[in-house]
Amino acid sequence: MIVVMKPGASKEQIEHVSKLVREMGLKDHPIVGTERTVVAVIGDDRFKDRSALESVAGVDKVVRILASYKMASKEVKKGRTAVPLGGKLGGVVGGKKVAIIAGPCSVENRTQLLETAHAVKEAGAVGLRGGAFKPRTNPYSFQGLAEKGLELLAEARDQTGLAVVTEVMAVEQVALVARYADVLQVGARNMQNFNLLNAVGEQSKPVLLKRGMSATLEEFLLAAEYIMSRGNGNVMLCERGIRTWEDYVRNTLALAAVPELHHLSHLPVVVDPSQGTGKNHLVDAMCRAAVAADADGLIIEVHNDPAHALTDGAQSITHQQFADMMKAIARIAPAVDREV
Ligand code: PEP
Ligand code: MN
């Protein structure tokens, strides 16, 4: 960080700042300019409390240089992290191949899940999504099949080899969900549930972390940092749209987040065009755009009968639409040096 002194700050005030910096275990390097003096702080100040310096006499502002997150940042690792999904198909998020995770919003029943699992596998998916615990806005809406849903997901994995990606909503569900799933999804509404982030960080299954609907990229990366700081480095960042004033879509899919997250972090980035638009006719174009923007993976809602889906039918695509979309992104991928 750099401590910028006010114009006319006294020699004593500058020396006081230098002393405080040294007391923090860091090195001070005052630079006297014609208008003002700044005190450059040398050393890793990421975990020091900057705000204390901000209120010291003679200080104008404190400018941060290092990112506030560390393990998630490019400062500690330059290349891209590849996260293995598990499952028999060997899917990896963060390699040359764009990993496709697809399936219903919620696990509803055995026929629905198995039909869709086989269909997405045939079309080239490596992961199967499906919520057994659903975060619903309305308490009277379908809440998911809970453990029964997890059993069905495990059965679908046994039949297809697809890696199971499913949401965990609470600390007390982590052990149960981790027993069945290959990847734990932390939903947008829980992105800053710090106890949950710590709990998924303390187990070994990879985590798909959704961006909160009003979270900045810094808050998103700090949420990833929680998980990583507890020992789990297999974190995938998922852009799923943010809430804006725009109402032609359910959420505004912020695709510029994909290259920006790659710029800031080594963690792989997955795009969810389903929550990200809320409309099934927009999903195909957003899948193509996400691949063109260098997404490492896509997570897509697919249903065998969207009109009768218990959750998110309006944004779910059919088996045929999914197969067509896979062909479309296979044409886009080589243009950005990727494969599907
Ligand atoms: C979902 O994937 O169905 C879901 C609820 O996602 P999000 O947390 O991004 O809203
Ligand atoms: Mn959904």
Side-chain angles (χ1 to χ4, degrees):
M1 66 185 148
I2 292 174
V3 184
V4 182
M5 304 301 296
K6 287 184 177 146
S10 68
K11 199 162 163 281
E12 290 71 33
Q13 286 174 332
I14 297 165
E15 275 167 8
H16 181 50
V17 167
S18 281
K19 183 166 164 280
L20 291 172
V21 167
R22 287 195 299 273
E23 280 172 12
M24 290 166 110
L26 300 163
K27 207 165 163 315
D28 62 301
H29 180 62
I31 304 164
V32 183
T34 47
E35 305 275 325
R36 314 178 178 219
T37 294
V38 302
V39 180
V41 177
I42 299 160
D44 191 347
D45 55 29
R46 225 170 318 226
F47 308 122
K48 309 285 179 186
D49 185 10
R50 275 183 308 135
S51 57
L53 283 173
E54 261 155 11
S55 56
V56 169
V59 172
D60 182 10
K61 60 184 169 197
V62 179
V63 183
R64 198 174 64 209
I65 305 293
L66 287 175
S68 49
Y69 43 88
K70 184 167 186 169
M71 301 178 82
S73 84
K74 272 273 178 71
E75 288 156 15
V76 294
K77 181 174 173 186
K78 294 280 173 259
R80 201 168 293 180
T81 291
V83 177
L85 287 177
K88 289 199 203 92
L89 301 178
V92 170
V93 179
K96 182 161 173 136
K97 215 168 148 73
V98 182
I100 309 299
I101 302 161
C105 176
S106 308
V107 180
E108 299 171 11
N109 59 64
R110 191 164 179 273
T111 312
Q112 169 243 13
L113 185 68
L114 293 178
E115 278 186 11
T116 297
H118 284 283
V120 299
K121 154 82 191 300
E122 281 313 302
V126 291
L128 174 67
R129 63 148 292 145
F133 293 100
K134 294 302 300 177
R136 304 307 305 283
T137 302
N138 187 327
Y140 306 116
S141 303
F142 175 61
Q143 304 283 312
L145 297 181
E147 188 164 4
K148 177 74 198 150
L150 297 173
E151 285 167 12
L152 293 173
L153 285 163
E155 184 180 350
R157 173 186 42 222
D158 290 346
Q159 290 193 16
T160 60
L162 293 164
V164 165
V165 181
T166 194
E167 179 159 356
V168 56
M169 283 173 54
V171 173
E172 55 277 16
Q173 292 166 359
V174 171
L176 174 71
V177 177
R179 209 158 58 235
Y180 290 94
D182 296 293
V183 175
L184 304 189
Q185 175 175 325
V186 173
R189 291 155 190 80
N190 267 319
M191 190 207 81
Q192 284 191 317
N193 180 339
F194 301 115
N195 293 328
L196 182 61
L197 297 175
N198 285 336
V200 298
E202 283 163 10
Q203 58 80 54
S204 60
K205 295 277 169 82
V207 178
L208 181 84
L209 177 65
K210 298 273 198 114
R211 179 183 181 180
M213 57 187 88
S214 63
T216 64
L217 291 194
E218 183 175 33
E219 288 162 343
F220 190 16
L221 288 165
L222 283 167
E225 187 84 8
Y226 261 90
I227 301 169
M228 299 178 86
S229 67
R230 291 294 171 132
N232 189 348
N234 284 328
V235 178
M236 294 163 268
L237 303 168
C238 180
E239 169 58 51
R240 47 76 74 206
I242 50 174
R243 181 162 284 185
T244 69
W245 57 87
E246 187 52 81
D247 64 1
Y248 80 100
V249 279
R250 179 180 180 195
N251 293 291
T252 299
L253 187 61
L255 279 181
V258 178
E260 185 63 11
L261 287 168
H262 285 322
H263 179 69
L264 297 169
S265 174
H266 55 89
L267 296 174
V269 181
V270 174
V271 169
D272 178 343
S274 309
Q275 329 303 319
T277 61
K279 291 183 172 176
N280 60 12
H281 69 269
L282 298 178
V283 169
D284 174 72
M286 289 302 96
C287 288
R288 286 183 274 128
V291 171
D294 206 18
D296 298 295
L298 301 173
I299 180 164
I300 305 157
E301 288 183 349
V302 180
H303 201 282
N304 62 344
D305 181 9
H308 291 102
L310 294 183
T311 59
D312 287 352
Q315 66 196 34
S316 299
I317 58 174
T318 62
H319 295 175
Q320 186 58 50
Q321 286 168 330
F322 179 73
D324 293 343
M325 182 281 300
M326 290 297 285
K327 289 195 189 114
I329 59 171
R331 291 194 294 274
I332 303 283
V336 289
D337 205 20
R338 304 293 285 255
E339 292 163 7
V340 173

